[in-house]
Amino acid sequence: MFRIRKIHDDTTPANRESLSQVQTILRMQFPGLSEEDICKLSGQLRDPLKYHFRSILFVAENSKGKVKGFAWLFHAADLKFAYLDYISTGRHETGGGIGSALYERVREECLRLDVIGIFFECLPDDPSLSPDEKMRAQNIARLRFYERYGVFPIINTDYETPLKPGDTDPPYLMFDNLGRGILSCDEARRIVRAILERKYGGVCPKTYISRVVNSLQDDPVKLRAPRYLRKISGNEMPVLPPRRRRIALLINDKHHIHHVQEKGYVEAPARIRVINAALEKTVFFERLPVKHYADTHIKAVHERGFVEFLKRASINVPPGKSVYPYVFPIRNKTRPPRELPLRAGYYCIDTFTPINKNALEAALSAVDCALSAAQALLGGYEQAYALVRPPGHHAESNCFGGFCYFNSAAIAAQFLSRYGKIALLDIDYHHGNGSQEIFYKRADVLTVSIHGHPRHSYPYFSGYEDEKGEGPGRGYNINMPLQEGIGGERYRTELQKALNHIRKYAPRCLVLSLGFDTAKGDPTGSWSLIAQDFEENGRMISSLKIPTLVVQEGGYETQTLGMNARSFFIGLVGAETAKNKRKDAGTKSLIVC
């Protein structure tokens, strides 16, 4: 098994390690490549202005971080084209679908970038250009592979003219139109000149470049007819639905086992049922399986003693029973209380969050959902939604409360922070004290929260504006507490400020703690947002244009919860998809049960 991860830079240890493994593959698979060219890859990631291309690296890696293959893509935003410089598997990694998965991921990225098409080089299958039979057989295999995607060499040009007379295997220039039609002669000339000057300017004489460019005469440009897959024509390409138009959906199937039926306990299974029922009426979700993750991810955020306490305590509670904290000692870490109800108060912040067997199992499953959704982002989805309960944003590193046991959003943010800066935006009605506390002294995770003022809203003791972080984290915690009774327009004013902070921070990913308890009539809030407000909020957040992981937090008015959730995601996927949704209201849902 492997996943495909996109890398923009080498600023994190994980990215540097992956880049080092890519360079090792290049040395093994391309022995003629100079060490200078291999070593300059990090510079290409860091300095697009110097190399006249923005570089994007895709790595196929296993669960232990071993790179099994990679694709190196150049993006020329000024001419709206992409150039695939390398695509390769590691030694002994052929035949496992890695090359296909990498190329499909490249195509999805290029659709997202809205380029004219993908250009790359492929060695020839013509015996007059490639006289060595063994080499030619390898060339044929590559050309056959690309014909499966409707990709063919551009013909009637001098591109495959050797630089030096007598050289063999000069490359064809391949073109993948991504299903977007023809390529004009003028476009082709500009792009070919850019490829030769930017990539080969140090070795190609100006006279050679002019000769190749001027040889392009066909308008539109012509592609070679199929040779190996006769059923595919040059204008018929299997276009894959881009993942940017699908939201990966991860649902906590164990949430229902946690059902506390005491009067007034609003954190109930109906919350997930009504949201999921509403999402099934849309066409832009793809349900993915939830994978189990080791406790090490939880303990990277929560203290070991706290995690072990919850596990032991839940085992000791009789089936069907719950323990509620009612004594809250001032902490003496060397002498915690022995009795379970007392010790619960040692690790809890309120009197209404119970400990029982099912709560812990549901909370662990919620963490698995959030981490699986984070993996979906690393695998190429632009948006992922962990539809979970219990929520998590009130859980601090060493305590639980507010219906929260483990902080799923913070655990996912910690997991993603290995690959670059993360912003965690909390738009639940209640302040996410847990997320704030966990990242309060860190600069690699920006925490921003819009919430009811702690003077009148749970958790009461945190969420003030002057809580800005400590040490390295000073300035990286932003609280935006608001008064009671606000509506959608006032809320959007604050949301825009929050998004401006995030843009300035320029994170690699956004983790969104999503609460619908800001809605009109919610029993735990005091604001009056309606469906149209949630749609506009989603649209504003989507304007960040960065991979976004949504983790469900609160929202307890089940009469409007589904409609508000559906409206939010219509906004998050963008106006164009919202129109398609209305037009295709009768089509089959993409949710796979």
Side-chain angles (χ1 to χ4, degrees):
M1 296 296 293
F2 61 89
R3 67 178 182 187
I4 296 178
R5 184 165 65 87
K6 179 169 66 174
I7 297 176
H8 287 282
D9 56 48
D10 63 346
T11 58
T12 68
N15 288 356
R16 287 194 292 272
E17 172 59 26
S18 295
L19 180 60
S20 175
Q21 293 185 57
V22 167
Q23 291 170 322
T24 299
I25 292 174
L26 282 171
R27 292 184 183 99
M28 290 189 301
Q29 302 290 63
F30 301 89
L33 195 61
S34 71
E35 189 64 23
E36 179 183 359
D37 285 337
I38 293 173
C39 291
K40 76 178 183 183
L41 296 185
S42 59
Q44 290 176 319
L45 284 172
R46 294 177 190 171
D47 192 354
L49 293 178
K50 178 179 178 181
Y51 294 94
H52 308 293
F53 288 110
R54 182 171 72 95
S55 294
I56 304 171
L57 172 62
F58 296 98
V59 293
E61 58 188 15
N62 63 17
S63 59
K64 296 181 179 180
K66 179 184 177 183
V67 175
K68 303 167 77 67
F70 75 95
W72 193 281
L73 184 70
F74 290 147
H75 176 217
D78 55 337
L79 296 178
K80 295 192 67 174
F81 78 93
Y83 182 85
L84 182 58
D85 200 16
Y86 294 103
I87 183 167
S88 177
T89 59
R91 187 170 292 177
H92 310 304
E93 298 288 356
T94 57
I98 297 172
S100 297
L102 282 166
Y103 190 66
E104 288 166 9
R105 181 64 185 89
V106 165
R107 297 184 78 232
E108 287 180 349
E109 182 71 11
C110 290
L111 285 166
R112 187 186 71 82
L113 293 171
D114 196 27
V115 297
I116 294 168
I118 308 171
F119 296 80
F120 58 93
E121 295 178 349
C122 203
L123 298 184
D125 54 357
D126 186 336
S128 66
L129 299 174
S130 181
D132 183 273
E133 290 188 9
K134 184 177 180 180
M135 172 70 77
R136 192 165 69 252
Q138 295 174 349
N139 300 348
I140 290 171
R142 294 188 186 98
L143 289 164
R144 181 185 291 112
F145 169 84
Y146 288 114
E147 280 197 8
R148 290 164 43 198
Y149 295 94
V151 184
F152 305 94
I154 297 175
I155 60 173
N156 302 332
T157 83
D158 289 343
Y159 194 93
E160 57 266 29
T161 302
L163 273 174
K164 298 178 182 179
D167 282 354
T168 62
D169 292 283
Y172 295 142
L173 181 63
M174 311 289 289
F175 177 56
D176 183 341
N177 70 359
L178 297 171
R180 294 181 169 177
I182 61 177
L183 175 68
S184 74
C185 183
D186 286 343
E187 287 175 325
R189 285 186 170 191
R190 288 193 295 270
I191 291 169
V192 168
R193 181 175 292 279
I195 292 170
L196 294 177
E197 290 180 346
R198 299 178 189 186
K199 180 169 171 56
Y200 299 111
V203 295
C204 287
K206 291 183 178 179
T207 53
Y208 178 90
I209 294 174
S210 295
R211 173 186 172 182
V212 174
V213 170
N214 292 333
S215 70
L216 289 157
Q217 298 290 331
D218 295 328
D219 194 9
V221 166
K222 293 182 179 180
L223 304 181
R224 193 174 81 175
R227 289 188 178 179
Y228 306 107
L229 300 175
R230 295 294 181 182
K231 294 182 180 180
I232 300 178
S233 72
N235 294 322
E236 294 175 348
M237 184 184 59
V239 180
L240 302 170
R243 286 180 175 177
R244 68 188 177 97
R245 300 220 176 225
R246 293 175 281 160
I247 301 176
L249 177 63
L250 290 301
I251 300 179
N252 181 4
D253 283 333
K254 292 185 178 180
H255 79 90
H256 64 281
I257 66 174
H258 174 47
H259 188 188
V260 179
Q261 300 188 38
E262 280 90 349
K263 184 177 180 180
Y265 196 85
V266 296
E267 210 292 284
R271 300 176 57 234
I272 304 303
R273 289 200 299 269
V274 297
I275 292 176
N276 189 38
L279 299 186
E280 287 181 336
K281 297 176 182 178
T282 70
V283 296
F284 39 78
F285 282 91
E286 180 181 3
R287 186 163 178 184
L288 301 183
V290 177
K291 299 178 182 178
H292 174 65
Y293 290 82
D295 285 355
T296 51
H297 296 290
I298 297 175
K299 292 174 182 176
V301 163
H302 294 289
E303 290 184 6
R304 178 180 295 272
F306 164 65
V307 175
E308 296 304 324
F309 160 75
L310 277 183
K311 289 183 176 181
R312 290 195 303 270
S314 66
I315 293 173
N316 291 328
V317 177
K321 301 293 183 180
S322 294
V323 170
Y324 288 87
Y326 65 87
V327 175
F328 299 85
I330 297 175
R331 288 194 169 212
N332 179 340
K333 293 200 173 184
T334 62
R335 300 189 65 181
R338 292 186 178 183
E339 296 298 322
L340 179 54
L342 305 182
R343 190 182 287 249
Y346 186 77
Y347 286 109
C348 192
I349 63 174
D350 58 43
T351 61
F352 58 81
T353 304
I355 293 176
N356 57 53
K357 291 181 180 298
N358 291 340
L360 177 70
E361 189 172 350
L364 290 170
S365 183
V367 170
D368 286 339
C369 282
L371 289 171
S372 296
Q375 282 281 18
L377 289 192
L378 295 176
Y381 287 86
E382 288 295 307
Q383 296 165 336
Y385 179 30
L387 177 52
V388 301
R389 61 172 291 273
H393 70 147
H394 292 306
E396 298 185 3
S397 60
N398 59 1
C399 60
F400 66 102
F403 309 134
C404 304
Y405 300 90
F406 297 127
N407 196 322
S408 299
I411 293 167
Q414 168 67 24
F415 178 80
L416 291 169
S417 69
R418 296 176 55 213
Y419 307 104
K421 296 190 300 182
I422 304 299
L424 197 161
L425 174 61
D426 193 322
I427 57 172
D428 188 274
Y429 177 80
H430 306 92
H431 178 242
N433 56 288
S435 302
Q436 170 175 297
E437 184 266 344
I438 288 166
F439 298 114
Y440 204 61
K441 298 180 181 180
R442 290 172 54 173
D444 61 327
V445 179
L446 172 72
T447 51
V448 184
S449 179
I450 308 171
H451 50 269
H453 202 288
R455 284 196 302 266
H456 56 71
S457 301
Y458 185 90
Y460 306 109
F461 57 80
S462 71
Y464 292 88
E465 286 181 281
D466 60 358
E467 297 163 8
K468 299 182 182 296
E470 291 181 4
R474 181 69 179 173
Y476 294 98
N477 186 81
I478 299 169
N479 285 325
M480 306 172 70
L482 301 177
Q483 69 274 21
E484 295 180 291
I486 72 165
E489 185 175 355
R490 174 73 178 89
Y491 185 88
R492 286 190 289 277
T493 299
E494 297 303 307
L495 179 58
Q496 187 59 61
K497 294 177 183 177
L499 298 179
N500 290 342
H501 285 298
I502 294 171
R503 286 191 181 91
K504 184 178 180 181
Y505 184 67
R508 183 65 69 212
C509 296
L510 173 70
V511 176
L512 181 69
S513 284
L514 174 64
F516 293 112
D517 42 9
T518 55
K520 182 178 180 179
D522 190 277
T524 69
S526 68
W527 297 345
S528 57
L529 276 63
I530 59 177
Q532 292 91 327
D533 296 317
F534 286 106
E535 181 171 346
E536 186 58 33
N537 293 347
R539 189 167 292 114
M540 291 173 67
I541 292 168
S542 74
S543 71
L544 291 172
K545 297 187 183 302
I546 57 176
T548 299
L549 165 57
V550 181
V551 180
Q552 187 61 49
E553 301 289 356
Y556 308 99
E557 177 47 74
T558 55
Q559 295 300 311
T560 60
L561 184 56
M563 177 174 59
N564 291 339
R566 184 171 70 248
S567 297
F568 175 82
F569 284 103
I570 286 174
L572 190 68
V573 298
E576 180 182 349
T577 306
K579 292 176 184 176
N580 291 341
K581 178 261 177 189
R582 296 185 183 103
K583 180 177 67 176
D584 300 332
T587 61
K588 184 179 179 181
S589 170
L590 289 179
I591 297 180
V592 181
C593 296

